Amino acid sequence: MQKMSSDDGIYHHHHSDKEVLGTDKVPHIGPLSGSLNKRAGRKGSRFNLPGSSSSKGDDYVEITLDVGDDSVAVHSLKATNGDDLQDDHELTLLAKGLEKKSSVGSSMVRNASAKIKQVGQELKRLTSLSKKPSRFDRTKSAVAHALKGLKFISKTDGGHGWIAVEKLFDEISASNNGVLPRSRFGECIGMESKEFAGQLFDALARKRNLQFDSIDKAHLKEFWDQISNQSFDARLQTFFDMVDKDADGRITEEEVKEIISLSATANKLSNIQKQAEEYAALIMEELDPDNLGFIMIHNLEMLLLQGPDQSVRGESRNLSQMLSQKLKPTYDYNLVRRFYRDTVYFLLDNWQRVWVMALWIGAMCGLFSYKYIEYRQREDVFEVMGHCVCFAKGAAETLKLNMALILLPVCRNTITWLRNKTKLGAAVPFDDNLNFHKVIAVGISIGVGIHGISHLACDFPRLLHATPDEYEPIEKYFGEQAKSYWHFVKHIEGVTGIIMVVLMAFAFTLATPMFRRGRMKLPKPLNKLTGFNAFWYSHHLFVIVYTLLIVHGIKLFLTKKWYKKTTWMYLAIPVFLYICERLTRLLRSSIEAVTIQKVAVYPGNVLALHMSRPRGFRYKSGQYIFVNCDVVSPFEWHPFSITSAPGDDYVSVHIRTLGDWTGQLRTVFSKVCKQPTNGKSGLLRADCLQGNNNPEFPRVLIDGPYGAPAQDYKKYEVVLLVGLGIGATPMISIVKDIVHNIRSMAEDEDEELSSALENGVAINYKTSSPSPPNPKTRENFKTKRAYFYWVTREQGSFDWFKGIMNEVAEMDHDHVIELHNYCTSVYEEGDARSALITMLQSLNHAKNGVDVVSGTRVKSHFAKPNWRSVYKHIAVNHNNARVGVFYCGAPALTKVLSQLASDFSHKTSTKFDFHKENF
C-alpha cells in the first residue's frame, strides 16, 4: 500500500517490508514523475525505513534532490525528526553513488523517461539499504534449512576447531617466513577444493582491506572466526562477499556466472560449468525481476529462507517417532539372553544358508569318519602307518565329494531352470551359488592340505623307517620296501598328486580378488598374471585337474578292487551335467549372431550395446547374459546385466571399462562410432538404420539369459532397488518392466471393462472392473510400489540412462515408482560449496522441469544417501508389508544394507528381504 500527501513539494511514500523487497516495482510519482522539460527545481521524497512498524514521522528519511536539466544531485538527507543524516557513513556513500549514477555527463539533451527510471531505481535501492536490515519471516524450520545451506566447514574437512588449524598454520608457516600463503589456505582450514578456498580467502581479505597474498596468524584467527560462525546472517554475508568481487554491495550477472563456474568446478560438475552463462541468466531472471542488472543480499536471503516442504502428516510423524524409539540401540548385559537373541535373529535371517551349510558339513564329517574308521580297522595298514593314513584317507573322501559339488554352482542353465520352474527357490539359496562355489574351494584347500601333509610328512617316512617285520604285511600293496623318499614321489600317485596341487594352487591364487581385479601390481612380464584374463584362463586348468584326479583315484596303493575305487563314481554325474551345460551354451550361442542396432559410448567409460532379440529369446528383468566378441577374444565370455525390459523388441547391455577385455571391446566399437548429431546422447554413437550405409560392427554372440536375485522382484508388493554406479543396470530393467506391467494391466482392465459392458456382464463398481479379476495377471505381478536409488560419483553417469529415466518419469502417471538420483561428487547439503548449485537446481527444475545435475526430469540429491532414513521412510509408509531389497554394486555397501534390513525386520512390523546380485 502507498499513502501520499503533498506539503511544500515534499512527498511521503509509505511501504511495507514486503513491498520494498518484493518483486513488484515501487513507483515514485509526484514531482519526480513530472516532465523534466519544465524548469529545474528542488524535489523531495520521504521513505519509510524498512522493518519499521511505526507510523510516526521519526521513522522516515527525507531526501531532497536538486534536479537540473542534465543532472540530479542530493541536496540533503534528514530524518523527519530534524536530525541531520549527512554524517551517516552508509547513507552518504549511497547518496554519492546516486549522484554518480544520475549524472548525464556532458550531454545537454537527455531522455526524460530514462532519467526518471534511473532516479526511481536508485531511490528504491537507497530505501532497501537504509539503516535497518530487511526483516523476513524467519520461522524455526526456515532458518534451520537456510543454515544447512551455508556451511563453509563440514564435519569431515575442517570441523576440527581452531587448535588443529593453528597447528597446521605453524607447520605451513615454518617454511614461509611465518605467514600462510593464499595457495595453502584451503589445506590449513581443511577445505579440499583449492579454488573455492582461494575465492573464500579473497572475500575475507577484501572485507578487511588486505592487499597481500599471505596472512599471519592473527588474520587467520579472524578468518576462522568468521567462517566457523554459526549464525545465518554471518554465513550469508560471507557467501555474498565471495560473489561480490568488486565489493560494491551488488551482484551482477557476470559475478553470478563466475561463482557458478567455481561451484561447478568444486563439485566436479562439468556440464553445469559449460552452461554457466545460461544458468546465471536464470538466477538473474528470478532474483532481479525489475531488470536492475544486479541483485542484493536480501534477494539471496529470500531464496535461502524458503523452508523445506513438510510432507509428513501427523499420523506418519508419530509413527516415525515410534520407529526411532524402537530402533535405538540397546545393550543387554545378560550374556545368555543376548546370545540367545542374536542367535535367533541370525537363524531367522539366514536359515536357508544354515541348513545347506549344515548338510554339507555334516556330509563331510560323515565321510571323513567313515574312512577314518575303515582304515583304523585295517590292522595291517594301521600298524605301520598309524593315524596318518586314517587322516589322509578321510580327507581324500571329502575331496571326492567337494570336487564333485564344486561344479554344480556354476551350472547356470540348471540353476536358472530350477529357479524358474520349481519351488526349490523357497528353500535353496540359489542366489548364493558363487559364494557356495568359493566355500567349497576353501573346503578343497583344507582337504588337500590334510591329505598331502599326512602322506608326505607322516605316511611315507613311516614306510621308509619300518622294520622288515613291520613292513611285511603291507608289502603286497607297495612292493619291495623303498630305500628313498623319491620312490613314492615318482610313482603315478605321487606325480599326479603333485601336479594337481600345483595347478589348483595356481588357479586358486589368481582367483583371489587381489589378482582377479588387478589390484596386485607386479613387474613385467609377471603383470600378465593379474586381471580377469588370467583368472579366466587359469580356471580352465580344471580340465587337466579332473583328468589327473581320475587317474590318481585309479592307481591307488591300498585299494585294488574296482568297486572300491569310488572317485569316478563321485564325479560321473556332475561332470556329465557340466559337459551338457557347456555344449548347450556353445550350440545356443553359435546358431545365430545378434545384429547390433545401436552403439553409444558414454562418459565414465561406458559402452552401450543395443542388439536384435534372437528368436525364442525370453528373459526376465534382473537377469543377465554372457557376451562374446570374437574380434577381441574367441574364447572369452563375460556376464552383463540386461538393461532392456522384457517388453522391448531389443536386448541391451551397458558395459563399463574395468579390465583388458572390456577395454578392448570399447576400442573396437569406438572405431565405428562418430560424434552424435541431432541432439542424440553419447560421446560417440553409431546407429544401424534402414539403408546400405550402415557401419560394419564386429560380430557379437550372446548366451543366456541366466537367473539372478533381482528377477524375483515381482513377488513383492514393495521393492527397494539400489544401484551403485554401473550396478544400476539390472535395476533400470526392473524399473522399466514395472511401468510396462502397470500400463499393461491398466489396458487389460480397460479391455475387460469394455467387453463386460458390451456383453452385459455384472460390474464390481467398487473396483471398476469385471468380477472376478484376472488371477494370472495378479499372480505374476504383485508390485504396487517401487523405490529406486541410484548413487554415482560422476555427473556424466546420468547420461547412461537419461532417456530411460525421462521415459519412466513421463509414463508413471500413478507415481508408482519413486526415483532418487544421488551424485556423490557434489558436497553434501549444508555445504557452502554446493549452496549455489542447490539454488540453481531448484530454480531450473521449477521453471523447466529438468534437473541441472542429471539432465533428466528426476531431481538429484547430493552426497550419499542416509540409508537408515531410507529404510525408515519405507517402514513408515508401508506398515506390515514385506519389502524386497535388491542391491547391485560395490561390496562395501552390502553389509550396511543387509544389517539395516535385519534391524528393521526385527524391530518393526515391516519385513525387509535383502538380495545382492552375484555373478
Side-chain angles (χ1 to χ4, degrees):
M1 295 177 60
Q2 286 189 352
K3 179 181 178 182
M4 294 174 290
S5 61
S6 178
D7 182 16
D8 298 327
I10 298 178
Y11 284 72
H12 308 277
H13 294 245
H14 300 246
H15 302 279
S16 67
D17 292 347
K18 183 177 180 181
E19 288 173 325
V20 171
L21 300 173
T23 58
D24 297 330
K25 287 188 176 182
V26 181
H28 299 273
I29 59 177
L32 292 178
S33 321
S35 173
L36 292 185
N37 291 330
K38 299 179 181 180
R39 186 174 58 185
R42 184 166 297 167
K43 316 296 180 184
S45 187
R46 190 178 293 171
F47 290 84
N48 188 336
L49 287 173
S52 176
S53 60
S54 176
S55 60
K56 296 180 180 181
D58 58 0
D59 290 321
Y60 295 87
V61 177
E62 181 182 300
I63 304 171
T64 305
L65 305 176
D66 289 327
V67 182
D69 291 335
D70 59 353
S71 65
V72 177
V74 177
H75 179 76
S76 64
L77 294 170
K78 292 183 179 180
T80 51
N81 60 5
D83 294 339
D84 190 353
L85 300 177
Q86 295 290 347
D87 295 333
D88 189 289
H89 179 67
E90 182 180 4
L91 289 176
T92 303
L93 288 176
L94 292 172
K96 290 181 180 180
L98 177 62
E99 293 181 14
K100 181 179 179 182
K101 292 288 183 181
S102 302
S103 176
V104 295
S106 60
S107 175
M108 298 299 295
V109 181
R110 192 72 172 171
N111 183 284
S113 61
K115 184 181 292 186
I116 294 168
K117 181 178 179 181
Q118 186 179 24
V119 173
Q121 289 177 351
E122 290 300 326
L123 286 174
K124 181 179 176 183
R125 188 174 79 85
L126 181 61
T127 58
S128 68
L129 288 177
S130 296
K131 294 183 79 63
K132 296 182 181 180
S134 56
R135 294 179 182 176
F136 294 95
D137 180 20
R138 295 188 174 186
T139 64
K140 183 178 180 181
S141 62
V143 172
H145 178 68
L147 279 172
K148 288 177 65 178
L150 282 177
K151 185 167 59 180
F152 290 90
I153 302 298
S154 67
K155 294 178 182 179
T156 55
D157 58 306
H160 37 46
W162 168 248
I163 296 177
V165 173
E166 186 178 27
K167 181 179 179 181
L168 283 171
F169 174 85
D170 293 337
E171 294 176 1
I172 297 172
S173 61
S175 58
N176 290 280
N177 299 321
V179 295
L180 175 68
R182 176 184 181 274
S183 59
R184 303 190 68 179
F185 177 67
E187 177 187 347
C188 186
I189 65 172
M191 185 174 285
E192 294 178 1
S193 175
K194 291 185 178 180
E195 293 185 18
F196 195 91
Q199 294 296 327
L200 178 60
F201 179 94
D202 294 341
L204 297 170
R206 201 162 47 235
K207 192 74 172 177
R208 294 161 177 77
N209 296 320
L210 299 178
Q211 305 295 326
F212 309 105
D213 284 340
S214 58
I215 55 174
D216 55 20
K217 185 181 292 188
H219 284 123
L220 177 63
K221 184 65 167 65
E222 290 183 28
F223 285 15
W224 177 258
D225 290 340
Q226 182 170 342
I227 62 180
S228 60
N229 193 321
Q230 297 298 309
S231 71
F232 171 64
D233 289 320
R235 293 183 180 183
L236 177 65
Q237 187 62 57
T238 303
F239 186 75
F240 186 87
D241 292 340
M242 283 187 64
V243 186
D244 184 18
K245 298 292 183 63
D246 53 8
D248 62 351
R250 310 174 179 183
I251 299 178
T252 64
E253 185 171 340
E254 185 62 29
E255 289 173 329
V256 173
K257 177 184 173 182
E258 289 182 20
I259 198 67
I260 288 176
S261 297
L262 178 64
S263 298
T265 302
N267 292 281
K268 302 176 183 178
L269 300 174
S270 57
N271 292 345
I272 292 181
Q273 192 172 7
K274 296 174 184 176
Q275 297 175 274
E277 187 172 350
E278 175 187 340
Y279 291 141
L282 175 65
I283 290 180
M284 296 301 294
E285 179 183 347
E286 177 70 20
L287 300 184
D288 180 27
D290 297 333
N291 297 320
L292 301 177
F294 56 85
I295 58 177
M296 311 299 295
I297 192 170
H298 64 262
N299 299 119
L300 289 178
E301 186 175 5
M302 284 169 54
L303 190 62
L304 284 168
L305 284 175
Q306 293 176 356
D309 295 334
Q310 301 296 327
S311 58
V312 180
R313 297 180 181 178
E315 183 180 350
S316 297
R317 187 181 298 111
N318 293 336
L319 181 57
S320 176
Q321 292 173 355
M322 291 172 60
L323 286 179
S324 298
Q325 292 296 325
K326 285 185 177 181
L327 292 167
K328 281 186 177 180
T330 57
Y331 186 79
D332 194 340
Y333 290 95
N334 189 312
L335 295 177
V336 176
R337 189 164 55 238
R338 189 169 74 241
F339 175 78
Y340 173 78
R341 182 196 61 196
D342 293 343
T343 302
V344 170
Y345 285 168
F346 178 81
L347 292 176
L348 288 173
D349 293 337
N350 302 280
W351 67 270
Q352 291 176 314
R353 299 183 181 95
V354 168
W355 84 261
V356 171
M357 290 296 297
L359 180 63
W360 175 62
I361 294 173
M364 286 195 300
C365 292
L367 290 173
F368 185 92
S369 301
Y370 164 70
K371 277 297 176 181
Y372 187 97
I373 294 172
E374 179 185 337
Y375 277 84
R376 175 68 181 81
Q377 294 175 348
R378 292 181 61 172
E379 295 182 0
D380 54 347
V381 176
F382 184 79
E383 186 176 344
V384 177
M385 305 172 72
H387 291 283
C388 299
V389 71
C390 298
F391 274 97
K393 291 301 180 179
E397 203 67 16
T398 65
L399 277 172
K400 297 174 189 178
L401 173 67
N402 287 331
M403 290 298 287
L405 289 179
I406 200 169
L407 294 174
L408 298 180
V410 292
C411 292
R412 302 176 189 272
N413 284 301
T414 304
I415 292 176
T416 301
W417 184 86
L418 291 173
R419 181 198 293 271
N420 295 339
K421 303 297 182 181
T422 70
K423 300 295 184 180
L424 288 176
V428 180
F430 291 120
D431 298 346
D432 291 318
N433 61 320
L434 291 185
N435 290 332
F436 191 48
H437 179 78
K438 296 172 185 177
V439 169
I440 295 173
V442 173
I444 291 174
S445 301
I446 296 173
V448 168
I450 296 174
H451 181 76
I453 293 173
S454 297
H455 274 325
L456 298 175
C458 186
D459 284 340
F460 296 165
R462 289 174 73 97
L463 289 171
L464 289 173
H465 297 96
T467 63
D469 293 337
E470 292 173 337
Y471 188 80
E472 184 179 357
I474 59 173
E475 187 175 357
K476 57 185 176 181
Y477 303 121
F478 295 98
E480 187 178 349
Q481 187 173 8
K483 302 299 182 183
S484 68
Y485 196 86
W486 180 250
H487 171 81
F488 300 104
V489 175
K490 70 180 182 179
H491 195 271
I492 294 179
E493 284 246 316
V495 172
T496 55
I498 292 174
I499 294 176
M500 281 193 294
V501 170
V502 171
L503 293 181
M504 284 194 289
F506 183 69
F508 286 10
T509 301
L510 298 189
T512 58
M514 289 292 292
F515 282 88
R516 181 165 54 89
R517 298 186 181 276
R519 297 172 186 165
M520 179 69 70
K521 303 301 180 183
L522 298 175
K524 294 182 179 180
L526 296 179
N527 61 333
K528 296 293 184 180
L529 296 177
T530 63
F532 188 86
N533 284 350
F535 157 76
W536 176 262
Y537 290 114
S538 65
H539 246 55
H540 283 77
L541 293 172
F542 80 93
V543 176
I544 302 174
V545 171
Y546 275 91
T547 303
L548 294 176
L549 179 61
I550 294 173
V551 174
H552 188 84
I554 294 174
K555 298 293 184 177
L556 295 175
F557 283 113
L558 298 175
T559 305
K560 302 302 181 182
K561 297 178 180 179
W562 70 270
Y563 57 87
K564 289 195 173 184
K565 298 179 180 181
T566 57
T567 302
W568 66 273
M569 299 179 187
Y570 279 96
L571 300 179
I573 294 178
V575 169
F576 175 77
L577 189 64
Y578 186 79
I579 291 174
C580 292
E581 179 92 9
R582 296 304 295 260
L583 289 174
T584 301
R585 292 179 56 179
L586 179 64
L587 294 174
R588 183 172 56 191
S589 61
S590 61
I591 291 175
E592 181 181 2
V594 295
T595 302
I596 303 296
Q597 296 178 346
K598 184 180 76 174
V599 175
V601 178
Y602 291 107
N605 292 323
V606 169
L607 173 69
L609 298 179
H610 287 237
M611 301 164 284
S612 62
R613 190 165 176 169
R615 286 172 293 181
F617 186 85
R618 297 179 181 179
Y619 65 95
K620 298 179 180 180
S621 288
Q623 292 185 330
Y624 64 96
I625 58 175
F626 279 85
V627 177
N628 169 269
C629 181
D630 55 5
V631 174
V632 179
S633 173
F635 305 110
E636 292 185 50
W637 293 80
H638 294 262
F640 300 100
S641 295
I642 302 173
T643 53
S644 54
D648 295 329
D649 58 356
Y650 62 89
V651 179
S652 66
V653 293
H654 286 66
I655 302 170
R656 185 162 195 175
T657 304
L658 293 174
D660 300 336
W661 188 88
T662 52
Q664 293 175 32
L665 186 72
R666 182 182 183 275
T667 302
V668 168
F669 277 99
S670 296
K671 293 178 180 178
V672 297
C673 294
K674 298 179 181 179
Q675 293 286 342
T677 57
N678 301 325
K680 293 182 178 180
S681 62
L683 301 175
L684 297 171
R685 189 183 179 96
D687 294 271
C688 186
L689 306 174
Q690 294 182 354
N692 299 322
N693 295 325
N694 290 320
E696 294 185 5
F697 295 113
R699 185 170 180 263
V700 171
L701 301 174
I702 64 172
D703 174 48
Y706 292 104
Q711 75 176 56
D712 295 327
Y713 83 92
K714 290 184 180 181
K715 70 181 184 181
Y716 296 97
E717 290 191 358
V718 182
V719 294
L720 170 60
L721 310 173
V722 181
L724 255 63
I726 199 63
T729 48
M731 311 308 168
I732 287 293
S733 177
I734 292 174
V735 167
K736 290 181 66 179
D737 192 38
I738 291 174
V739 175
H740 289 166
N741 274 282
I742 292 172
R743 184 173 61 179
S744 177
M745 291 176 67
E747 292 174 354
D748 290 344
E749 289 180 0
D750 291 342
E751 290 179 5
E752 290 178 5
L753 182 61
S754 300
S755 176
L757 290 173
E758 290 177 2
N759 299 325
V761 178
I763 304 297
N764 184 346
Y765 290 99
K766 291 184 179 180
T767 59
S768 299
S769 62
S771 180
N774 187 342
K776 186 176 180 180
T777 303
R778 187 160 294 186
E779 179 184 358
N780 293 337
F781 184 78
K782 296 181 180 179
T783 306
K784 302 292 178 61
R785 184 70 167 163
Y787 299 87
F788 174 44
Y789 285 79
W790 183 18
V791 184
T792 180
R793 62 173 174 264
E794 299 173 355
Q795 183 187 15
S797 302
F798 294 114
D799 289 345
W800 306 345
F801 309 114
K802 191 174 185 178
I804 297 174
M805 300 292 277
N806 285 330
E807 179 186 356
V808 171
E810 185 176 346
M811 291 171 58
D812 185 21
H813 301 297
D814 298 329
H815 305 289
V816 174
I817 304 173
E818 194 174 291
L819 301 173
H820 297 273
N821 293 337
Y822 279 81
C823 186
T824 59
S825 70
V826 183
Y827 287 96
E828 63 182 344
E829 182 183 356
D831 196 299
R833 285 164 287 189
S834 62
L836 197 66
I837 302 297
T838 304
M839 298 181 207
L840 181 60
Q841 182 190 45
S842 299
L843 292 176
N844 195 67
H845 200 275
K847 181 178 180 180
N848 303 317
V850 177
D851 182 65
V852 295
V853 177
S854 66
T856 68
R857 296 175 61 181
V858 181
K859 197 171 182 180
S860 298
H861 306 278
F862 303 150
K864 297 178 181 179
N866 183 329
W867 294 113
R868 177 169 286 271
S869 297
V870 171
Y871 275 80
K872 183 178 176 182
H873 171 69
I874 296 175
V876 168
N877 290 301
H878 303 283
N879 199 18
N880 296 316
R882 182 167 290 277
V883 181
V885 182
F886 298 94
Y887 169 66
C888 184
L893 190 57
T894 303
K895 185 177 180 180
V896 175
L897 295 178
S898 178
Q899 186 61 50
L900 285 172
S902 177
D903 290 345
F904 275 81
S905 295
H906 298 150
K907 298 180 181 180
T908 71
S909 61
T910 307
K911 306 305 176 186
F912 292 83
D913 295 339
F914 179 77
H915 307 271
K916 183 184 183 300
E917 295 292 295
N918 293 306
F919 61 85

